[in-house]
Amino acid sequence: MAGKSQGTRASGDGLRRLVIVESPSKIDKISTYLGPGYQVEASYGHIRDLPQPSQLPEDVKKGPYGKFAVDVDHGFEPYYVVDDDKKKKVNELKRALKDADELILATDRDREGEAIAWHLVQALEPRVPYRRMVFGEITREAIQQAVGELRDIDDRMVDAQETRRILDRLYGYELSPVLWRKVRAGLSAGRVQSVATRLCVERERERMAFVAAGYADVTGTFTATGEQAGSAFSARLSSLDGKRVATGRDFGDDGRLKASSANVAHLDVPAAQALVDGLADASFAVRGVEEKPYTRRPAAPFITSTLQQEASRKLRLNARQAMRTAQGLYERGYITYMRTDSVQLSSQALSAARAQARELYGPEYVPDSPRAYASKSKNAQEGHEAIRPAGETFRTPAQVSGELRGDDFRMYDLIWKRTVASQMHDARGTTATVRLGATTDDGRDAEFSASGTIITFRGFLAAYEEGRDATRDADSEGAGDEDRRLPQVVAGDPLTASDLATAGHETSPPARYTEASLVKALEEKGIGRPSTFASIISTIVDRGYVTYKGSALVPSWLAFAVTRLLEEHFPKLVDYDFTAGMENDLDAISRGEAERVDWLTRFYFGAAGPTAGAVVADGPDGSGGGAALDGIKGLADDLGSIDAREISTIPIGEGIVLRVGRYGPYLEGPDVETGELLKASVPEDIAPDEMTVDKARELLTSQSDGDNVLGQDPESGRTIVARVGRYGPYVTELVEDDAPAPAPEEPAEGAPKKRAAKKAAKVKPRTGSLFKDMSVDSVTLEQALQLLSLPRVVGTDPETGDEITAQNGRYGPYLKKGTDSRSLETEDQIFSITLPEVLAIYAQPKMRRGQVAKPPLKELGADPESGQPIVIKDGRFGPYATDGTTNATLRKDDDPETVTLERAAELLAEKRAKGPAKKTARKAATKKTAAKTATGTATVGKTAAKKTAAKKTTARKTAAAES
């Protein structure tokens, strides 16, 4: 069975060795490469961690570990416990260790892996020698080389990881209570998550303050005469009377021209149209031609951050999905280790990439010597090598296409192309710029220009081209000029103008961060490390600080309140340079250049040490000790200067404010006519930059009008109303809460009194969100009753027996069958879609939101049994035949290109004959097992307390000295 190790047999030297890796998916390959004498087991990641203080044993809660599970007064000694779900695994590893002569710790090669190895030693307490084994790829050569280069656990890397863990615990536990008291209960603050949230909030503030500027340009089509007769090209107005014509990049976010662009010619649409009219009969001629060489270098091989960015652009994977896919490829031996900030390639990898480029594209595409790239990170040696295909020779995407599917294949293809392209020649070409002009009928000089780049040698572009993020000024001069050929003209050549036209434009606000651009911004600022980027984004999304709008990250109003509190009262904690400095300090600890206890003492107690007083929060005027961050101890002790109401208030304009309340954001503002204070909930689908004064006034007015009474439900008699709430407009029924309860029956004389019946549960009213084409004012009673009847049961799947429903959700209309949901194209389909149409949708492979279904590989004809057309499609698990209702996977010998209608019909008939797959019932856990688990928990707590009291440095060295 995959992922399960076999018993240990003695190796050639007679020793039995236990090898522990992190993931069970590595076991099979590593076992095969190591051979007899090695038993490979998995720890399933971390086995120990700092517990929540509430989980500490009672006697420990009263001691120095009670507040943080860290003794801050005695060297920041942590109190670790084995995770509840890892106790069984630790016992299994202990049993396996009894039969071993040596323990080999083969966890990942970064700080987290080093820390896991150390924790394994602490938990297993080996009485045999133990050593550390590291590798960057899971291939036979790499594993066998790693066995010959065993080393001790690197205490410096362990110290750096432990410092980070303690730092995050201290930061979160000191700062989160401030948010609970001043913003909302249950919130959390984090050393990096708060800074990432601030980045998103600052960008949204820029969008809210943005003022669009209007400008116009003139374009035309020009045709050469003479030898180049008939060669037409387009050009854009570039200057007027010697002044450069303004484009989008000349305007600031306040809607005005930048100081550096004060002398440009700013055209509006009427002025541009007047210019076009004045050029109607003008004679155009070439004024100059300029050519210069074009060179473009290949991008460096992937590191973690650039892989996440490119996977977002090209594969539409978020950071978490990208890392999960890359980790799977690494563990199965397809790529090297995926958490790295080094762009270096090993000598074997350089040879492999150059050889493959030479073989596939020709020797002229490969430079004489290998290309070298410089790492930005000072600590990049931890990762050792960039992300690349595994092995001393690379397998091409075509060679792995039979083994990898879907995202796995696309990710491997991306990594392979980037690696090979990084060792190829530059792309070369020529960029030409043609200037041409004419004089208007009123004597103004108008000059147009056109640029084009011709690639004469594609170089690395033959293999790969890096993706680019969208820019604000995509319509500005020069956009889209690559691979554009201009006619061969010289100064003085006459030109014929046609299609002269004007176009109005508006400047665009700064783009919101996507996952890719946020990772790039964090990396540029030196915040976070390869192993943390994905978790940073996941954390701020999971905790409600940002939401997705397409691929963009939109901060919530809650994020605005939290960020404002931190900026005004604890500015250093969300300062970008300060946070980056902490990352550099942790790197210094891992290199042995700094000492963890000294660093943590300064961070927590301040420069004066443990005798210093507690820190007080800054006031808005900057007063107080918090600005210098002289230690974070006692951040929540004195919060008198923080005005909770003011912190959670965001001015909208004209006296209207938005407040972040306990139950969500709401608006407050005066009625325009009466001056009465109005309040209104803010629907979740309104982004902060969309909350204009007009929008706020609309919400205040519509919600202040009260419910729109639509009528009565003929079945229940309840009143149906339409209203606007936090999640947008909806309909609901009014349930009478004050209806008199029936009088209790009097018991017969002498009969025992009955206990009073429990109070009946409050009836929950039905609700239903309005469709996008409905409004509170126009929705009818009939439509409302339809909405309240949802979800609609469409029918039952004949194969599985599962009920299929159609309903409306936060992300639009969808179908639901058990746990399998499929999106619908329109809201109207909720009431109109039929069971055959639903079954056809479920017969297709499931797509991600926004993903387009692939066209069939082959169309065969009508199925003789169902009469429906049979097509061959490429699915998640390989090619398959389908008639829209039944799917049948092609066998290994069936070629999708040559499979016949008869063969496909045979496979479908076999699938129908088998019937639906039977569901396996889960057995309920017995009481006995639960009792054992509860007993084990208390025991481990005591054991952990005793272990932690011992000096950890001694424990690290003991077994190593025996080897």
Side-chain angles (χ1 to χ4, degrees), residues 18-22 41-43 93 103-107 120 124:
L18 174 64
V19 180
I20 301 179
V21 297
E22 287 183 41
E41 296 284 356
S43 70
L93 294 175
L103 172 62
I104 298 178
L105 302 155
T107 49
L120 283 167
L124 300 180

Side-chain angles (χ1 to χ4, degrees), residues 754-765:
K754 294 182 180 179
R755 284 187 180 180
K758 288 185 177 179
K759 196 173 183 180
K762 185 178 178 181
V763 178
K764 187 175 181 181

Side-chain angles (χ1 to χ4, degrees), residues 50-54 56-57 59-80 169 173 944-950:
L50 299 173
Q52 300 290 333
S54 60
L56 290 167
D59 57 330
V60 179
K61 286 181 181 178
K62 299 174 184 177
Y65 298 103
K67 186 175 182 180
F68 305 113
V70 176
D71 185 354
V72 297
D73 296 316
H74 299 91
F76 292 87
E77 191 69 29
Y79 181 97
Y80 291 113
R169 172 59 62 93
Y173 276 42
K946 290 179 182 177
K947 285 180 188 174
T948 313

Side-chain angles (χ1 to χ4, degrees), residues 78-130:
Y79 181 97
Y80 291 113
V81 296
V82 175
D83 298 332
D84 287 341
D85 59 344
K86 294 297 176 68
K87 290 170 185 174
K88 181 180 177 182
K89 172 53 62 178
V90 169
N91 289 332
E92 290 175 358
L93 294 175
K94 284 182 175 180
R95 286 194 294 270
L97 188 57
K98 287 180 181 179
D99 299 326
D101 300 307
E102 186 178 13
L103 172 62
I104 298 178
L105 302 155
T107 49
D108 289 343
R109 67 192 307 172
D110 57 9
R111 292 178 195 165
E112 293 295 322
E114 206 73 21
I116 291 172
W118 179 79
H119 279 289
L120 283 167
V121 171
Q122 302 303 301
L124 300 180
E125 298 178 313
R127 298 182 180 180
V128 297
Y130 63 86

Side-chain angles (χ1 to χ4, degrees), residues 10 101 323 325 339 354 499 573 578 588 600 860 868 932:
D101 300 307
M323 293 312 293
T325 303
R339 293 189 183 94
R354 288 167 59 79
D499 300 329
L573 292 179
F578 176 75
L600 285 169
L860 299 177
Q868 299 299 316
K932 277 188 177 180

